[in-house]
Amino acid sequence: MKRLTFLCQSRLFFGLLTGVILPMPSWAEKAAEEKVAAQPSIAKAATTNAEPATCGLPAGQYPYYANTPEEMVPFRTLEPYYRYFTTRLPFRGPGRDYPDPPDLKSLKVGLFGPAPYGPEGARGKQTRLGVLLAFEEENASRRAGQLPFEIVEREDSPLWGSAANIAVDFKDADVLGYLGTIDGDATHVALRVTLKTETYIINTSDPDPTLMETQIPWISRVFPDDRQQCYRLADLIINRRGCKRVAILRESSRPGRVGVMHLVNDIRRLGKPAVAHLLYKPGDRSLAEQLNTIKGANPDALVFYGQPEDIGFAAALFRKSGITAQFFGFDRLKEDGFSKNAGEAAEGTTICYFFNPDRTDKPWVEFQDRFQKRWSEKAGIYAAYGYDGAKLMIEAINKSGPNRYRVRDYLANLDEWDGITGHMIFDGRNDNIAPMSMAQFKQGKWQFQPVPAITRLEKLRAAQP
Amino acid sequence: MKFRKIINPRPLWAATVAACALLMSAGRGVGETTTEGLPFPIIERFENFGHDQGIPAHKVHVVLKTSDSKLWIGTWDGLCVREENGKFKRYGPEDGLTHKMVLCMVEDPKTGDLWIGTMRGLNKFSGGKITRYVQTDSGLPNNVVYGVDVADDKLWVATAAGAGVMDLKTGAWKIYDHTNSNMHEPWCYSIKGAKDVVFIGVWGGGILEHNPQLGTFKAYHDPDGDFHYDLVPDDGPINDITSWIAWKDGVLWQNTYFGMSRYDGKYWKTWVQDKSPLPSNFTQFAWPVGKYCWIGTDRSATVTDGTYWANYMLGDKGESILEIHRPKQAAEKRILPTGICNAFVLGIWADENEAWFATANGLSHGIFSPRPSVPKVAAAK
C-alpha cells in the first residue's frame, strides 16, 4: 500500500505515465498534505478528550481491523484499491460548544431492550438488570450538587422499524446517549436514526459483525461479536483439530446469516471450504432433509448456529443418526437449553465463549456478589456486558458533561478500557476486539481454556520502534 | 470577481496543456463551459442565514425552492418558509406537523403541494393546511421518513421499514419490503423517480431499480461484497450502504459513507477520498443539475461532473476555501470573501443561477460568479 501511495504521489510516475512531467495531481497532493496535517489533531483528540492508552501504535492508526488473523485477511496476497476502517471516522459536525441544557433535573440515558416475550427476552432482562445495577450504584455515590442519572427505558417489538421509532423517543426525551440492544436488525435501524439525532449508542449485546461496519461515527460496542467467534472457531477446527470436512447448520434468519458469514470465508481461506451449509427455521423439529444432506457430506466437523434449544435438539438427532463429526458452536450453546436438549450428544461439543465465568478475580467476584444481592439471581454474560456498557456511559458523561457531542468524542476516541468483563480493546470501528475463550463440554460441565493473546495487535506493537 | 489566490504556482505550459485537455475532452466544446472553462458555475461568495433570520435550530436538514420561488427549509426544530421580509416563518407540531424534526421535502410538480417527511410521519402542506400521515392511520411503512418523491401522480417514500407508494388520485397505499421485493432488509433511506422507474436507496442493500408498470426489481450491489475494502474502482456501487441517491437526465448518483458513485446506464464510476478530489468519503446528499452534480459531504459542498471538481470548504481559522480541480493540473485554491456557514452539508437545492445549502449550522446561499458569454459559433460546434 505504501508503495502504491508513493507511486501515485510521485511526479515521476505520472510523468512516465503521461509522457510529460506534469504537476502532481491535485488529489494526490491534497492526500499527502492531509496525511501529515491530520496526525497531530488525531493525537490531540485521543489524548485530551479520552485520555486513552494508544494500544502501543501511532495515535489515530488502527491497522489491525477486527484483529483478523493474518491468514484470514481477505485478499491478503494483493492490495485492494481502497481499505476502510484503518482510521477512526470523525464526526465533523458542530455541537461540542453548545451550552448545557438549562434546568436539567437529571442526566438521562436510554436503555433499548428486546421485546420481553421474544426469543431474546431472557437475555434482555439480564442486560437490563446489569444496566440498572450500574446506575443505582452510581446514583448512590453521587455527591451533593451532582445531578442523578435517570434511565429512559424502551422495549422493542417484532415489527420491522419499531427501533426507529424508539430511537426518536430517545431523541424527544433528550437522552445523552443510550444502551442496547441484542437484535441486530433493531440496532441497525436505531443506529441510522442516531446519525440524524446525534445521540451515541453503546451496544452491549448485539453479535452482528456488520453493525459496526456502517461508517456511522455514533456507536461503540463492548460486546465481542460473532466475527471474533468465527476467527477462533476456524482456527480451532482447521488448524488445531485438523478437520478437513466442515459442515454448517444454522438458523434461517438474519442473525444466522451474518453470524456464520465470516466462518464460511475463514475456513475457505484456510483451504477447507464448507462441504455443506444447511439452514433450518427457528423452532423447526423436522430436520430430516438437513440430516440426510449433512450425513451425505460425511463431515468431520459440524458447526451450529442458532438458539440453544434448537441446536440441542439437532445435536441429539444427528448423533443418534450416526454422525460422528466433532460438534462446534457459538456462545449461546453454553445456555442450559442446549445441554438439556442435546443430552449425551452435548459431550465433547466445543464453543467459543467470552471468558471463563467461574474466574475468581476480585472485580468479577464482587460484581457477582452485588448482582446476586440486588436481584437475587446470578449475573450472566448479558448482565455483565450491560453493566460494563452502563459504567462506560456513566464515565463518558461524568467526564464530558451533559453534551451529546462531547460524550461522543470521549467514547469514539477510546482505545482501551477495563470493565468487570475484562480488558477491552477498540479497533478502528470502535468495536471491542478482545480475544475470546473456548470451552468444551465434558462430563456435564463446560471447561474453559485461557483467553489467548491478541496476536495481530501484539505483532504490530512489537514492530514499533 | 476578486479572489486572492493562495496556491497557484503552476507554469504557463500547464495552463496550455489544460486548455488543450479541455478542448479535447469528450463531447465538450468551449461554448458549453460555464465559468472559467468549468462545466458548472462557480460560487463567488456565500450569504448565510441562522437564528437572526428566524431559523429555529442550528441544524438544517433540507432546503427546497418551490416553483413559486418560495424557499422552504426543514430543520431540527420545525419546517420554515422564507417570507418577503427575509425572515423565516416556522411551522411545528403545534401547527399540525407530525414531528418537529424535518428530514426531507418534495414539491408535487402538478399541484404545488409540498410533501414533508419527518421523524414521526409524513405531511402534506397544501393551501396553508397540513395533512398528516402516520403508520397507524395510513399505509405509511414507518414513521421515520428519510426520503420522499413524486413521480407520475404517485408519492414515493423511503422509510425505516420499507418503501411506500401512495396513488395521489385514489389515496391507495402499497408497501415494498423484504417480503415482496429483493431487499435484504427493508431499511430504505432514499427514493427517486426516474424515467419509467423508481430508484430506492437501501441500507445494506445497494440500489433497487423498480419498474412500477412491470412490477419488477433490479438490484445494484457493490461487487466486492465486503465493507472494509473496495477491491477495484468503477465496478459498481462503491458500497451497498446507500445514504442517498439522485437521478437526472439518465444519470444516477449514489452517496455512501464510503465514497460516491455514478451510473450512466452503462458504466459505473466511483470516487473515494485521497484517490480523487472528493474531500471526504462521508457523502450525505446529491443534487444533480444537468450533467453535473452538487454533493454534500461532512467537510464540503462539492460540485462535479466527474472530471472537474470544485470543493467549498472551511479552513482551520474559518476561512472560506475554494479548491478547483482540473484534470492533470495542480489544485487551484482560492480564499473567498465569505464562506459556507458550515461545511457539514446535509441538503442542497440548486439550479443554473444559484445554490442553497442546508448545513449542520445554518443555511447558506451560494452566489454564482458571472458567467462568460457563450460564443455562438463554438456553441454550435
Side-chain angles (χ1 to χ4, degrees), chain B residues 331-345:
Chain B
E332 180 187 336
K333 291 190 184 179
R334 300 172 181 173
I335 297 289
L336 303 188
T338 54
I340 193 166
C341 50
N342 193 274
F344 196 93
V345 178

Side-chain angles (χ1 to χ4, degrees), chain B residues 124-264:
Chain B
K124 181 172 77 172
F125 192 99
S126 179
K129 186 185 163 197
I130 293 174
T131 307
R132 301 153 54 101
Y133 299 80
V134 293
Q135 67 185 72
T136 49
D137 68 7
S138 73
L140 190 67
N142 183 269
N143 279 340
V144 178
V145 182
Y146 290 108
V148 59
D149 199 17
V150 174
D152 298 332
D153 292 323
K154 289 187 172 54
L155 175 88
W156 294 86
V157 289
T159 80
V165 56
M166 180 171 70
D167 188 316
L168 291 170
K169 291 178 178 169
T170 65
W173 279 89
K174 185 168 184 183
I175 294 175
Y176 296 100
D177 59 18
H178 54 304
T179 63
N180 60 354
S181 76
N182 52 352
M183 295 177 194
H184 271 312
E185 299 100 1
W187 310 330
C188 301
Y189 295 104
S190 182
I191 197 154
K192 185 67 190 168
K195 191 182 176 189
D196 302 327
V197 298
V198 173
F199 289 101
I200 307 169
V202 189
W203 186 257
I207 303 164
L208 289 187
E209 180 184 309
H210 171 52
N211 186 320
Q213 295 291 328
L214 302 175
T216 55
F217 287 89
K218 179 182 177 184
Y220 298 93
H221 289 294
D222 175 9
D224 302 340
D226 213 329
F227 292 140
H228 59 286
Y229 55 81
D230 187 41
L231 192 57
V232 290
D234 305 332
D235 58 346
I238 185 72
N239 194 277
D240 282 350
I241 300 179
T242 303
S243 58
W244 195 258
I245 50 171
W247 183 91
K248 184 86 175 174
D249 296 344
V251 179
L252 177 71
W253 300 82
Q254 181 207 25
N255 292 137
T256 79
Y257 305 133
F258 298 76
M260 58 176 267
S261 318
R262 183 187 66 192
Y263 180 56
D264 63 8

Side-chain angles (χ1 to χ4, degrees), chain A residues 307-316 327 331-349 351 440-446:
Chain A
Q307 294 290 356
E309 295 79 8
D310 291 346
I311 300 302
F313 173 83
F327 287 168
D331 61 284
R332 290 184 174 198
L333 299 196
K334 185 186 166 293
E335 294 177 18
D336 291 343
F338 167 71
S339 53
K340 191 177 161 191
N341 281 6
E344 291 178 0
E347 185 67 16
T349 301
I351 62 169
Q440 190 167 27
F441 198 76
K442 284 182 181 171
Q443 297 173 330
K445 278 181 69 180
W446 289 102

